[in-house]
Amino acid sequence: NAGVTQTPKFQVLKTGQSMTLQCAQDMNHNSMYWYRQDPGMGLRLIYYSASEGTTDKGEVPNGYNVSRLNKREFSLRLESAAPSQTSVYFCASSEQETGGQYFGPGTRLLVL
Amino acid sequence: GENVEQHPSTLSVQEGDSAVIKCTYSDSASNYFPWYKQELGKRPQLIIDIRSNVGEKKDQRIAVTLNKTAKHFSLHITETQPEDSAVYFCAARSFGNEKLTFGTGTRLTIIP
């Protein structure tokens, strides 16, 4: 049982490049989330998916798109990366009934 | 929407002493309150949670208390150890809401 996994662990992009961050969970959770965490800051919700086939905006959705590919996988796409998107990105999943969210190990993204 | 305030932002405690971190929430419909621990460079990890039908919950050296009337909840760590040094985040979730609202975090340092 791997829990929540994320790829890649680390990525360097140039301004304007695109990339997709991958997330998968094997806990049969319905809900999945994408957060960003800037140095010394808290967690800010980018997008979430309450169930397969649905996605909703969080606090900071601009510049990002998401896809809930199936119950296990939830990807985050940066179409045209900007230096302001330099951050650590965490994926999380939870059961709707219990509410506790479980986080992946994170992706460190540097946009030059 | 929900607003969660967390205090203090930093806390230094002598090893062996107790540490208390407090959070207040604004939405009286909130019914689930988890606490997360994040060590440097690592993912946030769920350490304890409490639901609105319970006033206190303990797990070894950590405990959480909830005062629904005053809309605040607290994390208590007793007999602190160096490995307790981390950033701690509180969060709240309203019934029927898939999102957690996080506090801004408390950096706890245990002084040997």
Side-chain angles (χ1 to χ4, degrees):
Chain A
N1 189 337
V4 181
T5 57
Q6 291 182 236
T7 56
K9 287 187 172 63
F10 181 72
Q11 184 72 46
V12 179
L13 291 178
K14 294 181 180 178
T15 297
Q17 287 185 319
S18 62
M19 78 163 295
T20 299
L21 283 65
Q22 306 286 354
C23 174
Q25 53 92 10
D26 61 2
M27 296 178 282
N28 201 36
H29 287 167
N30 287 321
S31 301
M32 297 185 74
Y33 309 82
W34 277 105
Y35 293 91
R36 63 176 287 174
Q37 186 175 39
D38 299 317
M41 303 287 286
L43 296 156
R44 292 189 291 172
L45 182 65
I46 304 170
Y47 272 94
Y48 69 103
S49 170
S51 61
E52 186 178 351
T54 68
T55 61
D56 286 287
K57 295 179 180 179
E59 182 185 353
V60 287
N62 291 345
Y64 305 95
N65 286 302
V66 290
S67 295
R68 184 72 183 269
L69 303 171
N70 47 56
K71 191 171 185 177
R72 291 187 63 250
E73 299 172 288
F74 189 37
S75 63
L76 178 72
R77 183 160 178 84
L78 286 71
E79 290 291 352
S80 179
S84 61
Q85 294 178 305
T86 293
S87 190
V88 179
Y89 291 84
F90 288 103
C91 176
S93 69
S94 74
E95 290 182 343
Q96 287 170 318
E97 293 77 19
T98 61
Q101 292 185 13
Y102 296 87
F103 287 80
T107 294
R108 297 181 181 276
L109 176 65
L110 175 62
V111 183
L112 301 174
Chain B
E2 175 69 278
N3 182 47
V4 177
E5 294 188 357
Q6 184 171 348
H7 299 282
S9 56
T10 61
L11 179 61
S12 294
V13 173
Q14 207 72 33
E15 182 178 353
D17 288 349
S18 296
V20 180
I21 303 170
K22 299 179 180 180
C23 290
T24 60
Y25 60 97
S26 61
D27 187 353
S28 57
S30 289
N31 64 348
Y32 175 69
F33 307 92
W35 285 89
Y36 288 84
K37 175 184 181 182
Q38 187 177 28
E39 296 176 8
L40 189 63
K42 301 290 182 65
R43 74 186 83 184
Q45 288 196 301
L46 179 65
I47 56 171
I48 195 168
D49 55 15
I50 192 168
R51 301 189 185 281
S52 58
N53 59 347
V54 175
E56 183 177 5
K57 184 177 179 180
K58 289 182 180 180
D59 183 3
Q60 298 184 331
R61 295 187 298 107
I62 61 174
V64 56
T65 58
L66 172 64
N67 183 326
K68 287 190 293 182
T69 302
K71 289 192 283 188
H72 67 71
F73 56 111
S74 300
L75 178 71
H76 305 253
I77 306 174
T78 59
E79 301 174 5
T80 53
Q81 300 169 3
E83 54 263 38
D84 295 328
S85 292
V87 177
Y88 292 80
F89 293 97
C90 64
R93 189 187 79 158
S94 301
F95 178 78
N97 192 336
E98 295 304 318
K99 298 183 292 184
L100 286 176
T101 300
F102 284 88
T104 49
T106 296
R107 181 174 300 279
L108 175 63
T109 302
I110 306 303
I111 305 167

